[in-house]
Amino acid sequence: DAEFSPATSHDFFHIAATDQFEQIYLPVIVACMSQHAPGVHLQVSRWDPRYFISQLENGEIDMAVGVGRSPGVNIKEELLYEESFACMVRKRHPYLKSKRALKDFIQYPYLLVSTGSEGRGPVDSRLAEKGLERKVLYRVSNFSSAPYIVAASDAILTAPRRFLEFSARGHEVEILEPPLKLPTFPLKIFWHAKDQEDPARSWMRQVLLQWARKVD
């Protein structure tokens, strides 16, 4: 059907997304939908880089928001934004009084947010190149608890900058630059080629793109 009216639609959309995207962007997206598409249903499930391609292929989800390489001709993608890393520590953390050199950075315990079992991140890879390693004492599976853990300990967290800036509100924490160069990474929307011309799904993709880009 070539016709799609957000104001009168009762369509259902299922999106897989990272928990950072869900926390930061979903409130403004839902606010937009409640105003312009009050009957549209939205379900958001957890992004899993191992399964999102098969979920798109079998129709389990309509689109996915996450980090990934171009997965093939049947999967379309569009860049939301390029993300960088920053660090979070509690206020009055002893690292803040140091020279903030790399040797100071690796003295303290670390909090790692890991959705899989790999147990390593880009910080570990860059440190390994220099023959160094950090002490990852705490590991959690999502970002929502991370600011609380940082505020209550000497643990250092390195995570996507937008999430840290968003989650720092209301916590006794500070955001600072990492003492080593870390790669940036793209956050993208993925969808299956069969949905490319679908008017309802095209509208939903534009909502995600438009409103997520407004949050800064």
Side-chain angles (χ1 to χ4, degrees):
D1 187 359
E3 298 298 323
F4 174 73
S5 171
T8 59
S9 171
H10 292 277
D11 278 67
F12 177 91
F13 300 101
H14 188 174
I15 300 170
T18 62
D19 57 333
Q20 307 104 291
F21 184 89
E22 187 170 340
Q23 291 179 57
I24 300 171
Y25 301 104
L26 198 58
V28 295
I29 290 167
V30 168
C32 166
M33 292 176 61
S34 64
Q35 181 178 357
H36 300 290
V40 168
H41 300 257
L42 178 63
Q43 178 179 339
V44 180
S45 58
R46 187 166 186 173
W47 155 271
D48 192 320
R50 299 169 297 179
Y51 304 125
F52 81 96
I53 295 176
S54 61
Q55 290 175 314
L56 289 169
E57 289 175 341
N58 63 29
E60 183 181 340
I61 60 175
D62 297 297
M63 56 202 76
V65 180
V67 180
R69 300 183 180 91
S70 299
V73 293
N74 289 327
I75 306 299
K76 303 294 186 179
E77 63 179 55
E78 185 163 350
L79 177 69
L80 262 178
Y81 56 79
E82 194 77 18
E83 181 63 288
S84 60
F85 287 101
C87 294
M88 175 186 281
V89 298
R90 67 172 175 85
K91 288 187 181 295
R92 296 172 292 280
H93 192 289
Y95 176 72
L96 296 172
K97 298 179 181 179
S98 71
K99 294 182 178 180
R100 303 191 186 185
L102 194 54
K103 63 181 179 63
D104 303 313
F105 184 72
I106 62 175
Q107 286 183 11
Y108 299 99
Y110 282 83
L111 169 64
L112 178 66
V113 181
S114 174
T115 56
S117 59
E118 69 281 357
R120 288 176 62 85
V123 175
D124 301 288
S125 300
R126 288 299 168 95
L127 287 174
E129 292 172 3
K130 299 176 180 293
L132 301 171
E133 62 179 343
R134 58 180 178 168
K135 297 178 291 185
V136 179
L137 295 188
Y138 315 111
R139 185 175 287 113
V140 295
S141 61
N142 64 72
F143 283 91
S144 59
S145 62
Y148 297 93
I149 296 170
V150 170
S153 70
D154 279 345
I156 298 176
L157 171 67
T158 302
R161 186 179 302 274
R162 281 174 173 81
F163 169 76
L164 293 185
E165 292 172 348
F166 173 83
S167 61
R169 306 167 193 169
H171 293 280
E172 291 291 304
V173 296
E174 291 193 23
I175 310 301
L176 56 151
E177 293 298 319
L180 72 170
K181 187 172 178 60
L182 296 172
T184 61
F185 60 93
L187 189 74
K188 302 175 181 178
I189 297 180
F190 300 94
W191 66 95
H192 198 277
K194 63 181 169 53
D195 296 326
Q196 176 70 20
E197 303 301 328
D198 180 89
R201 289 174 176 83
S202 296
W203 173 84
M204 189 71 243
R205 289 197 300 272
Q206 289 308 309
V207 168
L208 296 183
L209 288 163
Q210 176 184 353
W211 287 90
R213 286 170 176 169
K214 286 187 177 183
V215 178
D216 204 334

